[in-house]
Amino acid sequence: MRRGCIISLPVLVVFSAICYIYYTTVFIFIDDWLGLTTSSGLLNAFILTTTAFMCIFNYSTAILRDPGAVPPSYMPDVEDADMPIHEIKRKGGDLRYCQKCSLFKPPRAHHCRVCRRCVLRMDHHCIWINNCVGHANYKVFFVFVTYAVISCIHSLVLLVGSVTRDAQKDELQREGSIKTYIISGVMLVPLTVALSILLGWHIYLILHNKTTIEYHEGVRAMSLAEKIGNVYTHPYDLGPYKNLTSVLGPSIFIWMCPTSRHMGSGLRFRTAYDQTNFISTSR
């Protein structure tokens, strides 16, 4: 399904915030505190320019990249021995089928009411990118948040340094920069806290190989399992390292790059049962 207009008010707000924070940090905070002609000033400006560029690039990619659509020809093969898990409906035990899309749902796929289609390995619909976060753009979304946190912390440190330096000037010299400091502080402090919490949340999800939807489903499943004396385990949890590499890539050198070829088609995912079957076979 073709997406509508990708530019929304929240998207414009994010782009405006990035540009404002970059401009004030480089041309006011760094220039006032360290000077743009010094080696330390140039180094900080270069680092911030790099992280800001990566923010904008990954943010744009997260907006433009399709999160993953279910192929019209997809049909679950219940007799496939290499597919140990076929997700079923909570009621009735039938294979998951989307009445709105008229398609069977692959494992971890969910229907998005905003996008009006099923999304592979759907995590959530994000108004800030005007797109779903799913199989094909999850990594680039995570990388964007990581660079955003690094940029905000760096900018916040430079803001504090610039304020400390500015406090030594006389009152007439300070009047022009006070408003900029206040506006930047009001933006940076809550933004840094919010993005850090979001980053921590997704690090937790990646280490357990869960999506936001699967986390909430897992809480309900765990509660139901405890009532009947069973223990619930997330079927896609392969262990922290394998979970990490399944999302970010097999090499640490590409973890912060917006690459996603290693993630596969999104129609099948490795499970803990795959590992169990491999161990039992090898014995």
Side-chain angles (χ1 to χ4, degrees):
M1 181 182 294
R2 183 176 294 179
R3 291 178 58 197
C5 180
I6 61 174
I7 302 299
S8 62
L9 180 59
V11 170
L12 291 175
V13 168
V14 173
F15 274 120
S16 300
I18 294 173
C19 293
Y20 177 82
I21 291 171
Y22 174 78
Y23 177 82
T24 54
T25 303
V26 173
F27 297 103
I28 296 179
F29 306 153
I30 295 178
D31 195 27
D32 286 351
W33 181 24
L34 303 170
L36 287 174
T37 57
T38 64
S39 57
S40 57
L42 286 172
L43 178 61
N44 276 277
F46 173 77
I47 293 173
L48 190 71
T49 300
T50 302
T51 55
F53 170 79
M54 293 302 293
C55 273
I56 292 176
F57 180 80
N58 285 279
Y59 181 64
S60 301
T61 305
I63 294 171
L64 297 172
R65 183 174 292 176
D66 192 302
V70 179
S73 60
Y74 174 76
M75 179 69 67
D77 185 359
V78 295
E79 297 181 354
D80 185 3
D82 293 330
M83 182 74 79
I85 288 183
H86 292 281
E87 294 180 356
I88 59 175
K89 295 180 180 179
R90 295 189 185 93
K91 297 180 180 179
D94 297 326
L95 292 173
R96 295 164 68 239
Y97 184 83
C98 182
Q99 300 291 343
K100 296 178 180 179
C101 297
S102 300
L103 293 170
F104 281 100
K105 293 181 183 179
R108 315 184 82 175
H110 294 273
H111 185 86
C112 176
R113 290 177 292 180
V114 180
C115 297
R116 298 179 181 178
R117 63 169 180 162
C118 288
V119 176
L120 298 175
R121 195 187 180 274
M122 180 178 171
D123 187 90
H124 69 287
H125 183 88
C126 180
I127 63 169
W128 298 106
I129 66 171
N130 197 25
N131 195 8
C132 270
V133 178
H135 175 69
N137 67 346
Y138 180 80
K139 180 190 173 180
V140 75
F141 172 81
F142 175 80
V143 172
F144 157 68
V145 175
T146 303
Y147 278 115
V149 170
I150 294 171
S151 299
C152 285
I153 292 174
H154 188 192
S155 183
L156 201 55
V157 170
L158 293 169
L159 168 61
V160 172
S162 182
V163 169
T164 304
R165 169 73 173 175
D166 201 54
Q168 300 172 4
K169 299 178 182 178
D170 58 52
E171 189 173 347
L172 290 175
Q173 289 178 303
R174 284 186 294 165
E175 283 183 1
S177 55
I178 289 176
K179 289 183 179 179
T180 303
Y181 292 145
I182 293 174
I183 295 172
S184 299
V186 169
M187 286 182 60
L188 276 171
V189 173
L191 192 59
T192 303
V193 172
L195 286 172
S196 297
I197 293 173
L198 180 63
L199 178 63
W201 169 245
H202 280 283
I203 289 174
Y204 167 83
L205 291 177
I206 289 174
L207 291 176
H208 291 82
N209 205 351
K210 294 180 180 180
T211 64
T212 300
I213 294 174
E214 288 170 348
Y215 171 81
H216 292 293
E217 288 181 341
V219 171
R220 291 193 295 267
M222 190 179 299
S223 176
L224 291 172
E226 287 178 354
K227 289 181 180 179
I228 59 176
N230 293 334
V231 177
Y232 171 80
T233 56
H234 184 57
Y236 301 104
D237 190 351
L238 308 175
Y241 180 73
K242 288 184 178 179
N243 293 339
L244 197 66
T245 55
S246 68
V247 173
L248 300 183
S251 172
I252 193 173
F253 299 107
I254 64 169
W255 282 4
M256 295 300 288
C257 300
T259 56
S260 57
R261 294 179 181 176
H262 61 281
M263 299 185 74
S265 65
L267 299 175
R268 187 192 189 284
F269 297 90
R270 289 183 60 194
T271 68
Y273 301 106
D274 294 335
Q275 298 192 126
T276 303
N277 291 338
F278 173 77
I279 293 173
S280 61
T281 303
S282 62
R283 286 179 180 177

